[in-house]
Amino acid sequence: MVLKPYHYIMRRRMASVATDITSKITLNDGVSMPLFGLGVWRATPGPGGQTEQAVEFALQKGYRMIDTAEMYESVGVSNFGIQHLEGIKSNGLPVPSVNQIELHPWQQKPDIVKYCRDNNIAVMGYAPLVKGQRFDDETLCEIAKRIQMALRYRHRDPSAGVHSVSVGRSTANQRIEMLWSFLMRNFTIFWKNLFNSLVEEGILNNTDPLHLECVRFCFLPIIQLHLNQFEEMWNTHRIRQQGFAEQCYGIPNVMYFQPIIYGKLDQSFALPCGDTVLDDIADQYTEQTLHRGVSHEFRQLVSLVTGLTIEDFDVVQTPDEAKTLYRHLISLMLHTIFA
């Protein structure tokens, strides 16, 4: 999520081995092209979308080729076989500079790769990580393990060498694991860093109840909004069938609410009591969800120091806006308390 721009690896006969992310090759039309690039097919466009975030990150890391499928310097083709390329030659058309094909250890395609090399056509391999569907392959994991240990061999910290690899097994679908890994990196860590920045500024004390209620009041609606967007994004994807494991596949929320479609049984059953009993149980053993996660007294305090109703704060829609609101409320409350 998963959120899936693919890295491309370019191969060409007699090409030099890449030394870093900026290494280039010269195509048959004389144009110089980076050996590594970023593809943004199926990434969400628009301001703040996956495309913008991925491209910004890639440029920061040194990428200098972005495949947007909109603007080119050289002629390229995609998924062309030998017969297609021969057809171009037989009709007297210019030989393409690049042929983009899916290329990885499970689809090596030696015939078309050899043909392209023999005819001075660069091969652009997309989906080199197999779209995340082979991360549990034992051979691949063993190679990755040995590379990692080799890279950390001369280090002297406790996680160096053979201790630099932690291996775990899972029968779960790898796309699900990748999605939650993405959530951890891009959601959880983001909010941790934001709150740490407030602590470093000296305006958030984790032991102060007033500060904690103010944090919940300002940030919980935004966090919930992001979680809702994440849920919606996940349910637009389809868990794919995998030939090397038995599991259900399909759209997640459909799988959950309509298990019979997938040959599974609905295990729900009617409770042996009425709504009145359930309401009594709820009143006795549960607490009402607090609006914006804060007490009634705190909401009254916010209205007192700002002169606004609680609903007026619903206009805050971004983390930066919530951060500004937090600074403002803390300042107002401290001024009111010590005035």
Side-chain angles (χ1 to χ4, degrees), residues 24-247:
K24 298 180 179 181
I25 60 171
T26 302
L27 303 177
N28 57 21
D29 60 358
V31 173
S32 179
M33 182 177 74
L35 278 165
F36 296 92
L38 178 74
V40 294
W41 182 63
R42 279 190 172 180
T44 304
Q50 297 169 357
T51 300
E52 180 181 294
Q53 296 176 27
V55 169
E56 181 180 1
F57 183 79
L59 292 175
Q60 291 174 356
K61 296 301 181 181
Y63 282 79
R64 290 300 178 263
M65 184 179 74
I66 310 296
D67 183 358
T68 63
E70 291 186 4
M71 182 176 66
Y72 305 95
E73 292 173 339
S74 300
V75 176
V77 293
S78 182
N79 296 317
F80 270 42
I82 295 175
Q83 69 276 21
H84 304 115
L85 296 172
E86 281 293 310
I88 290 176
K89 289 173 61 177
S90 62
N91 284 280
L93 299 174
V95 175
S97 300
V98 178
N99 184 19
Q100 183 188 82
I101 59 176
E102 184 170 355
L103 199 63
H104 47 70
W106 291 272
Q107 289 196 37
Q108 300 185 29
K109 302 175 181 175
D111 293 340
I112 185 60
V113 170
K114 182 178 185 303
Y115 177 91
C116 289
R117 287 175 173 171
D118 291 343
N119 288 271
N120 204 24
I121 301 172
V123 175
M124 174 184 286
Y126 68 82
L129 299 181
V130 207
K131 306 175 185 178
Q133 297 179 18
R134 293 283 186 172
F135 283 173
D136 58 353
D137 180 85
E138 293 186 4
T139 301
L140 180 64
C141 291
E142 183 63 25
I143 293 173
K145 173 183 175 181
R146 291 179 180 273
I147 291 175
Q148 172 68 13
M149 289 191 298
L151 292 173
R152 299 275 276 129
Y153 176 72
R154 294 185 178 276
H155 295 181
R156 293 293 179 263
D157 59 277
S159 298
V162 296
H163 302 293
S164 65
V165 178
S166 177
V167 179
R169 292 187 177 274
S170 173
T171 58
N173 188 286
Q174 296 301 319
R175 291 192 68 206
I176 298 175
E177 295 184 4
M178 289 178 64
L179 181 78
W180 292 112
S181 174
F182 175 86
L183 176 67
M184 176 63 72
R185 293 192 308 271
N186 296 278
F187 183 88
T188 307
I189 294 177
F190 168 82
W191 285 105
K192 282 184 177 180
N193 290 339
L194 186 148
F195 294 132
N196 284 338
S197 71
L198 295 178
V199 173
E200 292 171 359
E201 289 181 38
I203 58 175
L204 172 59
N205 181 348
N206 291 329
T207 63
D208 189 322
L210 179 66
H211 285 206
L212 296 179
E213 287 227 86
C214 195
V215 163
R216 289 193 289 269
F217 181 85
C218 296
F219 293 101
L220 272 185
I222 310 300
I223 293 174
Q224 186 61 59
L225 175 64
H226 285 188
L227 286 172
N228 293 343
Q229 292 172 343
F230 184 82
E231 177 189 18
E232 182 179 353
M233 179 272 294
W234 171 235
N235 285 313
T236 62
H237 288 73
R238 178 180 295 274
I239 299 176
R240 298 180 180 177
Q241 182 180 14
Q242 298 188 27
F244 50 87
E246 291 187 5
Q247 83 286 313

Side-chain angles (χ1 to χ4, degrees), residues 247-248 258-267:
Q247 83 286 313
C248 293
Q258 302 184 39
I260 297 176
I261 295 177
Y262 301 92
K264 304 300 179 181
L265 297 178
D266 185 350
Q267 301 293 339

